[in-house]
């Protein structure tokens, strides 16, 4: 499965401009099966959602339209308002326009995300092109029990707005999740600045051995494309069946 990760510089609170920039990146990186975008890719990460969170599904409608146009899947999180509640919602949209979503479970209390957003309760795994994909958002990365692989997924997607000041932790934890869960891990972070933080990227793809396959250039808008090889993963799991000995 051909997967492209986008490390974008997000314009604060401007979905139209951010979508235009992503469309340009898609045109420059054609024919992927899956495109992955950062956390709150259309607005920037907001802990106070009023005026930021979407109630008209603007970003989701664009994701559906683009997925059908390019016959690909698109994944990324959006600040969403539904029935008077706010969610940091990670959408995975398939080529037919159908979507599966995961609401961020671990809200970032240090930044006050929990004060306005509602935490999701369910872990979500999407199957696409023969790959079972765990959906995770930013702060979820720090909680390994929630991401424990029960033999039910092959790749974990972490979309984030992870600031430069804590980038060492991001790097260490992404590699740890790949090794302990014997899976591919895709970590997609942004670059640039918002009213609270500065970001320098750190977007990378990691294989089940914990090795970095490819990574974006630091502090730049960039994209990387990786081919996920399920046969390689299955052979490794059979040869070295770590997951069979996990604590469940």
């Amino acid at each position: 499965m051909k997967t492209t990760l986008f490390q974008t510089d997000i314009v604060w609170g401007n979905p139209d401009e951010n979508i235009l920039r992503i469309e340009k990146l898609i045109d420059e990186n054609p024919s992927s099966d899956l495109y992955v975008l950062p956390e709150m890719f259309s607005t920037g990460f907001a802990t106070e959602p009023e005026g930021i969170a979407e109630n008209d599904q603007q970003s989701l409608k664009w994701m559906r339209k683009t997925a059908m146009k390019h016959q690909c899947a698109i994944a990324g999180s959006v600040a969403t308002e539904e029935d008077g509640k706010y969610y940091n919602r990670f959408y995975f949209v398939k080529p037919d326009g159908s979507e599966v979503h995961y609401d961020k479970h671990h809200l970032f209390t240090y930044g006050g995300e929990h004060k306005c957003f509602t935490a999701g309760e369910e872990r979500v795994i999407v199957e696409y092109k023969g790959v079972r994909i765990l959906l995770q958002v930013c702060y979820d990365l720090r909680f390994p029990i929630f991401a424990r692989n029960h033999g039910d997924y092959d790749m974990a997607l972490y979309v984030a707005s992870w600031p430069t000041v804590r980038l060492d932790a991001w790097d260490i934890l992404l590699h740890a999740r790949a090794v302990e869960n014997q899976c591919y891990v895709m970590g997609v972070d942004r670059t640039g600045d918002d009213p609270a933080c500065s970001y320098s990227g750190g977007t990378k793809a990691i294989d089940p051995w914990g090795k970095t396959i490819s990574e974006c250039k630091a502090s730049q808008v960039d994209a990387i494309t990786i081919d996920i090889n399920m046969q390689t993963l299955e052979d490794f799991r059979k040869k070295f069946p770590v997951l069979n000995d996990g604590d469940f």
Side-chain angles (χ1 to χ4, degrees):
M1 184 178 70
K2 190 176 177 182
T3 301
T4 297
L5 313 182
F6 286 152
Q7 180 170 285
T8 63
D9 183 355
I10 303 172
V11 181
W12 179 253
N14 192 335
D16 291 337
E17 177 61 26
N18 291 316
I19 285 171
L20 282 174
R21 293 183 179 192
I22 294 166
E23 288 177 340
K24 183 174 183 292
L25 285 170
I26 291 174
D27 290 340
E28 292 171 351
N29 298 271
S31 304
S32 270
D33 298 307
L34 169 63
Y35 294 96
V36 189
L37 313 174
E39 180 181 23
M40 295 193 189
F41 67 86
S42 59
T43 59
F45 176 69
T47 58
E48 298 180 2
E50 293 82 0
I52 292 289
E54 298 181 2
N55 56 20
D56 60 357
Q57 297 189 331
Q58 177 185 356
S59 296
L60 177 59
K61 290 175 182 176
W62 169 80
M63 293 173 81
R64 286 174 172 157
K65 178 181 176 182
T66 304
M68 289 188 286
K69 175 183 176 181
H70 294 280
Q71 282 301 288
C72 65
I74 300 179
S77 99
V78 178
T80 302
E81 181 182 359
E82 182 178 272
D83 298 328
K85 294 182 178 181
Y86 297 104
Y87 301 92
N88 189 340
R89 181 160 288 175
F90 187 175
Y91 290 110
F92 190 104
V93 180
K94 297 183 179 181
D96 63 359
S98 64
E99 59 91 1
V100 177
H101 69 257
Y102 158 70
D103 292 328
K104 185 179 181 181
H105 179 62
H106 296 97
L107 300 177
F108 190 46
T109 56
Y110 180 80
E113 187 180 17
H114 66 296
K115 294 178 181 179
C116 296
F117 284 85
T118 298
E121 297 299 327
E122 296 184 4
R123 198 172 82 152
V124 175
I125 295 168
V126 179
E127 185 166 352
Y128 175 63
K129 288 191 173 290
V131 182
R132 299 168 302 169
I133 304 168
L134 176 70
L135 306 183
Q136 300 275 272
V137 180
C138 202
Y139 195 44
D140 286 329
L141 181 60
R142 290 184 178 269
F143 302 95
I145 293 175
F146 188 65
R148 177 66 65 200
N149 194 342
H150 303 289
D152 54 357
Y153 72 87
D154 309 304
M155 180 169 73
L157 298 183
Y158 285 91
V159 299
S161 291
W162 199 287
T164 303
V165 68
R166 292 187 287 275
L167 205 57
D168 285 345
W170 163 260
D171 187 58
I172 291 166
L173 293 171
L174 285 174
H175 285 84
R177 295 297 88 82
V179 171
E180 69 195 9
N181 293 302
Q182 207 168 30
C183 68
Y184 290 99
V185 168
M186 307 290 133
V188 182
D189 194 14
R190 62 162 296 181
T191 188
D193 301 286
D194 66 18
C197 293
S198 294
Y199 308 88
S200 55
T203 298
K204 61 189 61 186
I206 302 166
D207 72 17
W209 288 265
K211 297 178 182 178
T212 299
I213 305 168
S214 184
E215 58 187 326
C216 288
K217 299 179 182 68
S219 302
Q220 296 183 30
V221 173
D222 199 9
I224 55 173
T225 298
I226 314 98
D227 278 316
I228 302 302
N229 190 317
M230 282 300 298
Q231 189 60 56
T232 298
L233 175 60
E234 291 168 5
D235 290 346
F236 178 43
R237 285 177 171 176
K238 288 177 182 178
K239 182 178 179 180
F240 190 51
V242 173
L243 297 180
N244 293 346
D245 300 321
D247 300 307
F248 300 127

